[in-house]
Amino acid sequence: MAGLNIPGVTDQYNTNDTVEKLMKIERIPLTREQNQLESLKTEKNAWRDVNSKLSSLRDNTKTLYSFENPFNSKLTSSTEEYAITAEANRSASLQSFKVDVIQAATSDRFLSAELENDFKVPNGTYTYKVGEKQISFNWKGGSLKDFAAAINKRGNNTIKASIIGASAGKKSLLIEAVPTGKENHLIFEDDAKTFAFDSGMVDKIKSEVKNFADTQTEILPVNKIEYDEPPYMPALSLTKIKFDEENKTVSVEPRGAYQVKIPEKILKEENLHIQFTIKSSETEDITPEINRTLLQPELPDAGTAEFEGIIISNSSSDTNLNLPSEPPEPLQPVITDSVIFAVMEDGTEKEIPYTPSEDGKASQIDFKLSDYNGIKAIAVRNVNTGTLLEVSDFSALDPLTDLGYGPVHPVSIADDAIIKYEGITITRSSNKIDDVVPEITLNIHDKTEKTATISIKPDVDSSKAAIIEFVGKYNQAVAELNILSQNKPEIIEELDYLTNDEREAEQKKLGLFQSDFSLTNIKSNMASTIAARYTFSDTAEITMLSQLGIATNAGGYSGGYSQSKLRGYLEIDEKKLDDALENHLDDIKMLFGYDSDGDLIVDSGIAYKLDKQISAYTQTGGILAMKTSTLDSKIKSSETRITKLESQMDKKEAELRNKYSQMEGSLNSLEAQQNTISNFTKQQNQNK
């Protein structure tokens, strides 16, 4: 009896093989299209590789002629690096100069007394000032460690704190100002001041305030200065001044003025501030009374006399009142805050800003002597017509040091950096000084034992590295162009820097675009640019790349003919390059990019021209972009056709399998009938 056969499973009649063979023929158009798609993708990847290599070369060329070009890089050196170093900008001049560091700028660093390990910082509002910066925070109380952490958390480059292990079982708190310089003293306020006293960080010291203008004899008349005022306005006068001996104050009535000289011993200290107060109040305005006196008087009529019918008129009065023919314009009240002036050595005056208090209280005036260079006296000019001024005596002090307290354990005291630059003494608040030598920043570290020499030289190593990188990028681009435009396996074998995987990938692209002239054109143009002469100056000694020791045969031919040397790769004669960089760096910079028409814009040179040539290929909408765009369209169309063909193949295969399954089922049925008949016949024969 024939074995049971399930169509499509037992495959008794090899229908699966038959269908596969038929489908193989049917799939020929699909296979062809799939191969075509793979070829298109390979081409697209190849163009991308070209674009990548050329773009990398273009990016490199830009760095060789842009403002950031390596030929402008500078190196600095100092003979006393422990004390002073320098940083040079790209625009700095090549030079050397002498510097003596008298002292480095320092900051206030105050140490507390030795405190027990379990010492608690009491709660309160802690305020610290450093120069114009301030931090303030509410402290709930706690350990020294937590308090120091709280300061550091809020320090904001203003102050910082640390715990110092003093002796066994004891610690000290160090609080320091971050900014350096005399102007940046560390000041304690609110509970911070109380804690500074209680912890032994600071203690009281004697004040050094200097007072002046506190006697009648120091009140002097002001200099005569012409004002643009109405002719009938009363002149500023010392008679409108009243000095209060008891309170050491001066009352200045409307149109009153005076000045006081600043003592010479105070003027010698430029860091001192002058402080005083002014209180302004309203008083009866003087303009109404002045206006009344300026009116023309009305004289009575001279009258007449009559005698026996004869009338005689009296003559008009010939009294001369010296009045104008017409009454002047009435004076208007004057209200101004411009009442305080610095009197300079040459007699001129500069206004000192003053803003009256809105609550009627005295306003504090505070200015630094150095802000008014050449000041000799202070003038008060009350040009107002309805304002009374009350001016206190004057105090000279340093508000940063004259606080009434000082450090007990100072690690350092805020002070300015002092240097001598070419014999000139210079003072700065910071150890980073960038306004003495143009384009150069001096970094002060310590006092010099002997005069330091700072030298600014070109960064030759950076320039050399950039040129070598340029040659490498150029050769990589040329190698990619050679591989795609020529079907010569030796081209790949010559590239000994390739890995095995890279070598295998390049083999697939070999000669892929032999018939595409765009690759040979760009290679030819690049070679012409590299070999050209660039005469940017009549005195230039380096006008060609080959003069740097960079050429397609920089080392010269040896051992006869070499095909690899004709493929356009650049070689470097390092000795020749080093010599050119050492002696002709400016020429080399101009060789890669220079301004040919005087408009201060680079428009010629090797790097500039290569950049423009490559841009035509790599830019958006350029030659390579157009090629990949065309391939994208072809790939999309091919993928659409493949999808359609795959659908057709699936449908065709389903139809064939269905047909052969039916055929196999029919054959199996016939075979079963045949077996039934045969069995029946045998059984009949056996019964006979």
Side-chain angles (χ1 to χ4, degrees), residues 164-341:
I164 307 297
S167 58
K170 294 187 177 182
K171 295 179 179 178
S172 294
L173 175 65
L174 176 66
I175 298 181
E176 56 186 302
V178 176
T180 58
K182 282 185 177 180
E183 296 293 325
N184 294 311
H185 281 284
L186 176 59
I187 300 174
F188 305 91
E189 292 187 354
D190 301 327
D191 292 302
K193 184 175 180 180
T194 303
F195 173 66
F197 276 100
D198 293 344
S199 63
M201 186 173 289
V202 299
D203 202 356
K204 292 182 179 180
I205 58 174
K206 184 179 179 181
S207 174
E208 297 182 0
V209 176
K210 303 176 180 68
N211 294 323
F212 61 99
D214 53 2
T215 63
Q216 179 74 48
T217 57
E218 295 182 73
I219 306 302
L220 305 172
V222 295
N223 299 332
K224 290 184 178 181
I225 294 179
E226 294 294 332
Y227 284 90
D228 185 15
E229 293 183 319
Y232 303 104
M233 184 67 74
L236 296 173
S237 172
L238 193 62
T239 61
K240 303 292 184 180
I241 301 299
K242 294 181 180 179
F243 183 78
D244 186 337
E245 291 282 354
E246 182 178 352
N247 296 317
K248 307 298 183 183
T249 59
V250 178
S251 294
V252 188
E253 297 177 1
R255 305 300 295 174
Y258 75 99
Q259 71 177 14
V260 293
K261 289 185 177 180
I262 302 175
E264 287 295 331
K265 61 181 180 179
I266 293 176
L267 292 175
K268 291 179 181 180
E269 301 182 50
E270 293 185 349
N271 290 327
L272 292 182
H273 285 229
I274 302 297
Q275 293 182 352
F276 58 100
T277 63
I278 300 180
K279 181 180 179 182
S280 63
S281 58
E282 293 184 4
T283 188
E284 183 179 358
D285 199 291
I286 63 175
T287 54
E289 180 63 29
I290 297 173
N291 288 333
R292 281 193 294 272
T293 63
L294 293 177
L295 294 176
Q296 292 278 8
E298 295 183 6
L299 299 177
D301 191 357
T304 59
E306 183 179 351
F307 179 73
E308 295 182 353
I310 299 173
I311 299 174
I312 299 174
S313 298
N314 292 325
S315 298
S316 299
S317 173
D318 59 357
T319 303
N320 183 11
L321 298 178
N322 196 28
L323 295 172
S325 58
E326 295 182 4
E329 291 290 331
L331 295 178
Q332 299 298 320
V334 176
I335 302 175
T336 180
D337 295 333
S338 299
V339 295
I340 308 297
F341 299 88

Side-chain angles (χ1 to χ4, degrees), residues 126-176:
Y126 287 76
T127 302
Y128 298 91
K129 287 184 177 180
V130 178
E132 296 181 354
K133 298 180 179 180
Q134 172 181 308
I135 67 165
S136 183
F137 62 95
N138 294 321
W139 171 248
K140 63 182 180 180
S143 66
L144 278 175
K145 181 179 178 182
D146 291 340
F147 182 69
I151 290 178
N152 292 331
K153 181 179 179 180
R154 300 167 176 83
N156 195 27
N157 293 323
T158 301
I159 65 169
K160 58 183 179 180
S162 56
I163 304 299
I164 307 297
S167 58
K170 294 187 177 182
K171 295 179 179 178
S172 294
L173 175 65
L174 176 66
I175 298 181
E176 56 186 302

